[in-house]
C-alpha cells in the first residue's frame, strides 16, 4: 500500500479516536474529522464510507494489534504467560481500549473479542479432556464470558489491581482447566 494512503488513514483514525474521547461517537461528524485531520471531506470518503465504517476499521485495527502482540509473546493455551501478555498490552494501551470498551454502541468490539477468545479456547485443546463432565460448548462460553467480564471490569475500573494480581487470580480460577490441559498433554 502506498505510504501516503497509509499515512492519511492513520491521521484520520487518530483524529477519530481523539474526537471519540472528547465528544463521543454520536456527536462526531465527518466534517469534524476532516477539519481536525486537516483534510477535505472527499479525502475522508476516499478511505471510508462513513463514520460507522471508520469505527469498524478502528475496532478491527485495535483487535488485530492486540492479537498480534499476544501471538508474538505467548502461546495459544490458557497459560499464565498468555493472560499476562493480554493484560500487559492492555495496560500499555489502556486509553484506547477503555474507550473502545466503554463507548455506547460498541458491542462490536466486545463481540469480536469474545469470538476470538472462544476460538482460542476451542483451538487450544483446553477443554477436550475426558475428565470434564460438562459440555464443551458450555465450558467454552463460560470461560470466554468470564475472561471478557474480568477484562472489562479491569479496564472500566482503571486497573484496580496489577497485571500480576489479575493474572494470578485468573489462573487460580482456571486451575481445573489448566491442570486438565497439562495432564492431557502428558498423555500424548
Amino acid at each position: 500500500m502506498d505510504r501516503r494512503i497509509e499515512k492519511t488513514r492513520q491521521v484520520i483514525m487518530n483524529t477519530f479516536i481523539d474526537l471519540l474521547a472528547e465528544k463521543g461517537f454520536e456527536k462526531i461528524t465527518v466534517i469534524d474529522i476532516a477539519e481536525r485531520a486537516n483534510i477535505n471531506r472527499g479525502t475522508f470518503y476516499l478511505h471510508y464510507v462513513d463514520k460507522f465504517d471508520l469505527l469498524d476499521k478502528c475496532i478491527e485495527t485495535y483487535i488485530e494489534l492486540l492479537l498480534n502482540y499476544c501471538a508474538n509473546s505467548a502461546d495459544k493455551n490458557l497459560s499464565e504467560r498468555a493472560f499476562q501478555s493480554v493484560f500487559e498490552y492492555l495496560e500499555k494501551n489502556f486509553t484506547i481500549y477503555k474507550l473502545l470498551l466503554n463507548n455506547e454502541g460498541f458491542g462490536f468490539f466486545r463481540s469480536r473479542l469474545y469470538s476470538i477468545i472462544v476460538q482460542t479456547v476451542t483451538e487450544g485443546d483446553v477443554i477436550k479432556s475426558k475428565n470434564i463432565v460438562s459440555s464443551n460448548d458450555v465450558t467454552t462460553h463460560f470461560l470466554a464470558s468470564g475472561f471478557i467480564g474480568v477484562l472489562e471490569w479491569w479496564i472500566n475500573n482503571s486497573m484496580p489491581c496489577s497485571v500480576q494480581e489479575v493474572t494470578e487470580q485468573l489462573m487460580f480460577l482456571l486451575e481445573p482447566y489448566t491442570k486438565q490441559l497439562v495432564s492431557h498433554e502428558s498423555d500424548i
Side-chain angles (χ1 to χ4, degrees), residues 2 52 64 133:
D2 186 328
F52 296 95
E64 280 181 40
V133 223

Side-chain angles (χ1 to χ4, degrees), residues 1 21 24 27 43 46 49 56 58 69 74 77 82 87 99 101 104-105 107 109 113 123 132 137-138 146 149 166:
M1 179 184 301
K27 294 180 182 175
T43 301
L46 285 173
V49 174
D56 289 345
C58 182
Y69 179 84
N77 291 319
F87 284 100
L99 191 60
L101 278 168
E104 63 283 339
F109 181 79
L113 197 55
E123 289 175 0
I132 296 182
D137 288 341
V138 170
V166 74

Side-chain angles (χ1 to χ4, degrees), residues 116-169:
I116 290 165
I117 293 167
V118 166
Q119 180 182 350
T120 302
V121 169
T122 304
E123 289 175 0
D125 204 27
V126 174
I127 58 171
K128 294 189 175 34
S129 171
K130 56 187 173 223
N131 299 327
I132 296 182
V133 223
S134 64
S135 159
N136 283 348
D137 288 341
V138 170
T139 305
T140 297
H141 289 281
F142 172 76
L143 292 171
S145 297
F147 180 71
I148 290 285
V150 169
L151 186 142
E152 285 178 321
W153 165 81
W154 193 70
I155 292 287
N156 290 335
N157 289 287
S158 300
M159 302 175 293
C161 58
S162 72
V163 168
Q164 187 63 36
E165 288 173 301
V166 74
T167 302
E168 286 173 1
Q169 288 180 35

Side-chain angles (χ1 to χ4, degrees), residues 9 12-13 16-17 20 25-26 28-30 33 41-62 64 100 105-106 108:
R9 286 183 180 170
I12 293 170
M13 193 172 290
F16 174 70
I17 290 167
L20 200 56
F25 182 73
E26 293 303 318
I28 296 173
T29 66
V30 171
I33 297 167
R41 282 185 21 210
T43 301
F44 176 91
Y45 289 117
L46 285 173
H47 299 280
Y48 303 100
V49 174
D50 54 21
K51 72 178 189 175
F52 296 95
D53 182 41
L54 174 56
L55 174 62
D56 289 345
K57 300 289 190 298
C58 182
I59 288 170
E60 282 301 318
T61 297
Y62 283 97
E64 280 181 40
L100 292 173
F106 285 18
F108 179 68

Side-chain angles (χ1 to χ4, degrees), residues 65-93:
L65 289 170
L66 175 62
L67 291 176
N68 290 339
Y69 179 84
C70 294
N72 292 331
S73 60
D75 59 46
K76 286 194 166 201
N77 291 319
L78 292 179
S79 71
E80 186 168 350
R81 183 65 202 128
F83 285 121
Q84 188 168 344
S85 173
V86 169
F87 284 100
E88 285 171 351
Y89 184 80
L90 292 173
E91 182 179 49
K92 289 176 189 167
N93 298 281

